[in-house]
Amino acid sequence: MITRGLRPPFYCSQLDLGSATTQEVFMRPFQIPAALLLAATVLISCQSQTESPEMIVLGRLVTMDPQQPQVSAVAISNGRFSFVGDQASAVALRGPDTRVIDLDDATAYPGFIDAHLHVAGIGAAQRSVDLTDASSFSELIDRVAARAATLRAGVVVRGRGWHQSKWLNPPSGHIEGFPTHHALSKAVPNHPVVLEHANGHSALLNQRGMEQLGIDANTIAPEGGVIVMSDGQPTGLLHETAIDLTAPLHAYDAQTAEELVNLAQQHLLSEGVTTAHDAGALQVDLEAQWAMARRGDLAMRLYSMVYASDEGALSEWLARGPLINAGDNRLTVRSIKVQADGALGSRTAWLHAPYTDAPNTSGVLTYDLDALSALIRDSREHNWQINVHAIGDRANSEVLAVFAPFTAANDDHRFRIEHAQHLRLGDGPLFAEQGVIASMQPIHLSSDRPWAIDRLGQQRIKEGAYIWRDLLSTGVIVASGTDAPVEPVDPIANFYAAVTRKTLKGMPETGFEPAQKLTRMEALHAMTLAAAYAAFEERDKGSIEVGKLADLTVLNQDLTTVPEVEILNTEVLLTMVGGEVVYQREEAANP
């Protein structure tokens, strides 16, 4: 945060803390360092008024409410907005215990909602070897070996984020660009190693890891999975459901699950995310989230989806029924996540026609379509929302066909297709006809589009890849998320991708397929109101309106006006959930 002279960006004209210490005022629910207190909320001394608000925020607020798109003040009472309007009217409401935040030159938005990410994965990523920016397989090996050297023999080394398409050169002995275990096994012989691909649909094991799991030449891959072999021997490379074989190396208990949630929420709040849609939680994760919600330990809000492939979790939650607004509106579990196909990077996304760069395959179906139909039928009594991962054009077509008889019913189903990344020409309007929400991740275009054209070819890229504008034009609700930790938790980068269709290095100059760009307000809508609607929560979230939950994301720049070249320099200054400051960026030293 850049200070301006001696006045910090968040200030108050009067300071009267009475007998309260600064720590008593500011440490909730996270302890805010004392160095930040000068820029935080303070108590205003004034004449007592009946039921005065607990907090007033003054400054530029982008509301996402078409009736008043921008206001200069809000008041907050009991965790919700009690006034939205002009500064003079807001200040007139203040009482002796009202805290006031002045935004100065910063801008506030409704709390950002990430409509698709993986909470446990984000938490685990904080503990794993980060391979996202490794430029080669040899660099990956060096990082893993360095971590192994710090651990006792036999301890599992986990890593994630590698992507062979982003390496400068393919590794020696590669299979269609993917590495094999041999060099890794030689460098790290005494620790089981499991390295998750950036897209979450592939993993690489070393020899010790395969031995511990019992994977050898005779191992048969589970349905919907691939154990990549070479000369009759496993290469260490696993795709899709074969990754489930590594579960013993990833297993964790309830305490660890809570630790992962806590790591994830701290990171998410620092990026301005106030609500996260957890796209496929295991039973251990759901129980941890529920326990934390009951104790009041969830600092952010979670909308968690039961992972259908966890049969124990699915059976229990179908019998239990949805959980809505538990723990002071911090946790909802009312949807089920199904994975219908793989990913483009591993060529396992299910396509109508073979891959342009691999004519021998069209991808894979990873969830039986009859089983999907039965799941929908069995879950309708309790109005479970069904959210299906579908990346390839055939996966999208087939899922829409399964949805069709159920979406024809006159009920508020709000079924979702997660990703909807590549569609067959003509399938887009079916989303609108069936009322199916497209839960998409603009940042995938920035990361994947440079090489996705090799997978799909020019025609398929142009007609059906990342077609946000076409979907909006036909009346489809498009909600956006980051898919973290597949991509970094970064709503600003996601916004940039949506409005520019460029890589994060600003290429190409006009953007990929520029006719599909979103306007800035459309991009903001996708990460606020549309994302709230995708969770049945538009009455409580997504815009700054009287009666809605007082969740705010404060940025140092106005995303609606800042020059395009400056968007990625935007920083989160403060995050508020229910009227509580839960994150504040540390002040930079005065120049």
Side-chain angles (χ1 to χ4, degrees), residues 81 134 140 296 399:
F81 296 115
L140 175 152
V399 170

Side-chain angles (χ1 to χ4, degrees), residues 92-141:
L93 299 172
R94 69 186 185 186
D97 295 325
T98 300
R99 295 173 289 159
V100 174
I101 293 178
D102 194 316
L103 299 178
D104 195 13
D105 293 330
T107 302
Y109 305 82
F112 291 159
I113 302 171
D114 193 309
H116 184 109
L117 51 71
H118 305 276
V119 171
I122 293 170
Q126 311 302 304
R127 295 179 168 180
S128 298
V129 181
D130 184 4
L131 304 173
T132 54
D133 60 351
S135 60
S136 66
F137 188 46
S138 61
E139 182 180 345
L140 175 152
I141 291 173

Side-chain angles (χ1 to χ4, degrees), residues 141-142 144-146 148 181-191 206:
I141 291 173
D142 289 343
V144 174
H181 76 88
H182 300 91
L184 176 64
S185 297
K186 182 177 180 179
V188 189
N190 300 318
H191 299 76
N206 69 345

Side-chain angles (χ1 to χ4, degrees), residues 86-339:
D86 64 282
Q87 291 196 12
S89 298
V91 171
L93 299 172
R94 69 186 185 186
D97 295 325
T98 300
R99 295 173 289 159
V100 174
I101 293 178
D102 194 316
L103 299 178
D104 195 13
D105 293 330
T107 302
Y109 305 82
F112 291 159
I113 302 171
D114 193 309
H116 184 109
L117 51 71
H118 305 276
V119 171
I122 293 170
Q126 311 302 304
R127 295 179 168 180
S128 298
V129 181
D130 184 4
L131 304 173
T132 54
D133 60 351
S135 60
S136 66
F137 188 46
S138 61
E139 182 180 345
L140 175 152
I141 291 173
D142 289 343
R143 293 187 187 184
V144 174
R147 176 62 61 85
T150 68
L151 303 172
R152 69 180 185 277
V155 173
V156 178
V157 180
R158 299 178 182 86
R160 72 161 316 279
W162 62 274
H163 201 304
Q164 78 288 348
S165 296
K166 298 179 182 179
W167 293 340
L168 298 177
N169 297 294
S172 176
H174 70 90
I175 297 177
E176 295 185 335
F178 284 92
T180 62
H181 76 88
H182 300 91
L184 176 64
S185 297
K186 182 177 180 179
V188 189
N190 300 318
H191 299 76
V193 176
V194 55
L195 307 178
E196 184 181 351
H197 194 279
N199 63 22
H201 294 266
S202 300
L204 180 68
L205 296 166
N206 69 345
Q207 183 64 42
R208 182 68 179 274
M210 287 189 285
E211 290 171 355
Q212 188 160 319
L213 294 169
I215 296 176
D216 58 25
N218 298 314
T219 305
I220 299 175
E223 184 177 355
V226 179
I227 299 175
V228 179
M229 298 282 184
S230 179
D231 296 328
Q233 296 297 319
T235 63
L237 189 63
L238 309 176
H239 294 315
E240 301 308 331
T241 60
I243 299 173
D244 295 342
L245 299 174
T246 70
L249 301 182
H250 291 287
Y252 52 88
D253 58 16
Q255 179 179 344
T256 301
E258 290 195 20
E259 292 170 357
L260 297 180
V261 173
N262 195 47
L263 285 169
Q265 70 176 350
Q266 291 184 57
H267 185 44
L268 287 160
L269 290 167
S270 74
E271 296 291 345
V273 178
T274 58
T275 295
H277 294 190
D278 191 2
L282 301 174
Q283 181 63 2
V284 65
D285 303 315
L286 294 167
E287 290 300 330
Q289 293 172 12
W290 178 210
M292 293 177 73
R294 291 196 302 270
R295 295 197 308 266
D297 289 340
L298 285 182
M300 67 180 303
R301 308 186 196 280
L302 298 179
Y303 183 82
S304 296
M305 310 174 197
V306 180
Y307 189 38
S309 294
D310 183 340
E311 295 180 0
L314 181 62
S315 177
E316 179 170 336
W317 282 92
L318 284 176
R320 179 190 297 187
L323 177 71
I324 299 176
N325 293 333
D328 191 25
N329 295 292
R330 298 301 167 109
L331 176 64
T332 289
V333 183
R334 66 173 301 171
S335 60
I336 298 169
K337 164 74 179 301
V338 175
Q339 185 167 309

